[in-house]
Amino acid sequence: TNSAFLPQLLDEQNVLYTEPENPVALAHSLQQLREDPLLRAQLAAGGLELSRHFSWESIAAALLKIL
């Protein structure tokens, strides 16, 4: 696969990383989101930008670059 076309997942910018299979870490992340409106806004904006990489237009453009 060509990772040049894949967007980066950036902690607290477009995702919020949480240690897997750790309910205490998950609870902490959820509390952080509940208490921090700026973080929620950043993740919402970052997630929206990230999602644009997966639109049909973006996928088609990336495919044309490969071909």
Side-chain angles (χ1 to χ4, degrees), residues 43-61:
L43 290 175
L48 179 61
E49 179 60 33
L50 189 66
S51 74
R52 291 186 178 124
H53 291 274
F54 300 98
S55 71
W56 285 116
E57 293 82 11
S58 293
I59 292 169

Side-chain angles (χ1 to χ4, degrees), residues 18-19 21-31:
T18 301
E19 185 180 335
E21 299 183 33
N22 183 337
V24 174
L26 177 59
H28 174 44
S29 292
L30 291 171
Q31 182 177 5

Side-chain angles (χ1 to χ4, degrees), residues 1-8 53-54 58 61-66:
T1 62
N2 189 340
S3 62
F5 296 108
L6 297 176
Q8 287 190 317
H53 291 274
F54 300 98
S58 293
L63 180 60
L64 289 174
K65 287 181 183 178
I66 294 172

